[in-house]
Amino acid sequence: MNEFLTLSLSGGGYKGLYSAHVLARLEEDLNCRIAQKFDLLAGTSIGGIIALALALEIPAKDIEQLFLQKGKEIFHKRTMISTGLLFKSKYTNNGLYEVLRYLFGDKTIGELKHRVIIPIINYTEGKPQIIKTPHNILLQNDKRLKILDVALSTSAAPTYFPIFSTNDGDFVDGGMVANHPGFFAVVEAQSYLNQSLENIYQLHIGTISQKFTSSSSKYVLGSSFWSWKENIFNLIFSSQEQSADNLLHFYLKDRYISIDSLSVDQQAKQIKLDKVNEKSSRILIQKADDAYKCFLGKSKKQLELIRLHKPNEYIPFN
């Protein structure tokens, strides 16, 4: 049997530090770039940014350091005057742009070294869209796109960052449809890479799962815009994450492994999509270490499978 290994990386803003630290630990144990051990990478929002960086074989440790060194620049709040009385996004994407420009320069999707899929929402057409490397002769449309533009598109979280506009249209965070893109990766493997379901394996790395529930207060039950605010998007991301996880457990069974953590109430207050400080960083790294140790203890067979795996060579179709 020829195993086909997929890597799925969830969205979660600054909580992507958790994913980056897990990946850095995994690269250290495998003694190679993580993308060299997987046949397909899938990532959404910050997970998409990480997947694109991994596909260029940028070390996961370097990605982790960018979170620690540049996080505050990315999530730098507008002043009340610049928000236009709250009619603009919470943050500009200026800081994010500079970090991504440093990572990706002018490279295009066609220059990636490994197969990747990145979900986004094409707001101009009002539908989901998946950006793909040219790993099938039918997939030629995206190879000219700049990696920088794709990264900014998939991470344009509503209310947090502005809609990303290009000559090709207006784009919004892919987390609205696939915060956990793992099921999309399975479909891609079957539809465009000729893989049977029985051969597909997946390692998913999350960004600390949180369940967003109702307090049943009259204020919340009134369902006004102000009572929802950012919570509506957090609820969408969380619900999609759980749906994907359930589907992947059902279809892949023990061929699906997720490295993730749950946050307790007090921790949830300290680790949010846009919370960047020493305390949040420390919690994210500690929980990543704990989750990775748990993975090593319970998934030795799967880790050995990854260690020994030699993916099919990625030869882009031109």
Side-chain angles (χ1 to χ4, degrees), residues 10 176-184 202 204 209-211 235-251 256:
S10 288
M176 299 286 287
V177 66
N179 200 56
H180 177 343
F183 195 69
F184 281 39
Q202 185 167 123
H204 164 248
S209 297
Q210 292 177 248
K211 291 184 178 180
L235 180 60
I236 290 170
F237 294 161
S238 173
S239 298
Q240 193 284 325
E241 184 100 9
Q242 293 173 60
S243 296
D245 188 73
N246 289 337
L247 285 168
L248 288 160
H249 273 297
F250 177 79
Y251 282 104
Y256 171 69

Side-chain angles (χ1 to χ4, degrees), residues 7-259:
L7 176 67
S8 174
L9 303 174
S10 288
Y14 189 70
K15 294 190 297 177
L17 172 61
Y18 174 96
S19 308
H21 187 72
V22 169
L23 288 163
R25 291 285 307 271
L26 189 54
E27 281 195 345
E28 185 178 359
D29 283 348
L30 295 175
N31 195 31
C32 69
R33 300 287 178 262
I34 194 71
Q36 296 172 0
K37 290 296 180 180
F38 288 86
D39 296 281
L40 177 65
L41 310 179
T44 303
S45 196
I46 189 60
I49 292 172
I50 294 173
L52 291 165
L54 294 176
L56 286 174
E57 299 193 356
I58 296 173
K61 192 66 179 177
D62 292 355
I63 301 171
E64 179 184 5
Q65 286 304 308
L66 278 176
F67 278 95
L68 297 171
Q69 296 169 6
K70 301 294 184 179
K72 290 183 179 179
E73 293 180 24
I74 293 172
F75 293 99
H76 182 70
K77 285 187 178 180
R78 299 178 191 262
T79 63
M80 182 60 73
I81 294 175
S82 68
T83 59
L85 297 177
L86 304 180
F87 289 111
K88 292 184 179 179
S89 59
K90 193 172 182 180
Y91 307 99
T92 71
N93 60 6
N94 296 339
L96 180 59
Y97 174 88
E98 293 301 326
V99 172
L100 296 178
R101 178 75 177 173
Y102 167 78
L103 266 182
F104 302 130
D106 290 323
K107 291 185 175 70
T108 64
I109 293 295
E111 295 179 73
L112 292 172
K113 300 177 180 180
H114 302 273
R115 302 178 192 90
V116 176
I117 62 170
I118 306 291
I120 62 175
I121 292 179
N122 187 323
Y123 193 27
T124 299
E125 298 187 12
K127 66 179 184 180
Q129 181 176 337
I130 303 180
I131 305 299
K132 306 177 182 184
T133 47
H135 47 259
N136 183 291
I137 196 168
L138 300 176
L139 305 177
Q140 299 296 307
N141 292 336
D142 300 331
K143 64 184 181 183
R144 64 177 177 81
L145 297 176
K146 288 187 178 181
I147 299 173
L148 171 62
D149 289 346
V150 174
L152 287 168
S153 296
T154 193
S155 57
T159 75
Y160 290 98
F161 291 109
I163 293 168
F164 185 66
S165 183
T166 73
N167 292 332
D168 295 317
D170 301 331
F171 300 97
V172 179
D173 195 320
M176 299 286 287
V177 66
N179 200 56
H180 177 343
F183 195 69
F184 281 39
V186 171
V187 173
E188 187 73 15
Q190 292 179 288
S191 302
Y192 288 98
L193 294 164
N194 302 316
Q195 298 298 316
S196 65
L197 185 64
E198 293 74 20
N199 288 351
I200 300 171
Y201 291 71
Q202 185 167 123
L203 174 65
H204 164 248
I205 302 178
T207 53
I208 302 187
S209 297
Q210 292 177 248
K211 291 184 178 180
F212 294 89
T213 57
S214 170
S215 67
S216 295
S217 70
K218 291 182 179 180
Y219 175 69
V220 169
L221 294 177
S223 300
S224 70
F225 173 79
W226 293 110
S227 65
W228 275 110
K229 293 189 289 186
E230 295 163 357
N231 288 337
I232 189 170
F233 302 110
N234 290 328
L235 180 60
I236 290 170
F237 294 161
S238 173
S239 298
Q240 193 284 325
E241 184 100 9
Q242 293 173 60
S243 296
D245 188 73
N246 289 337
L247 285 168
L248 288 160
H249 273 297
F250 177 79
Y251 282 104
L252 300 185
K253 300 180 172 54
D254 62 352
R255 301 191 307 280
Y256 171 69
I257 297 292
S258 179
I259 302 178

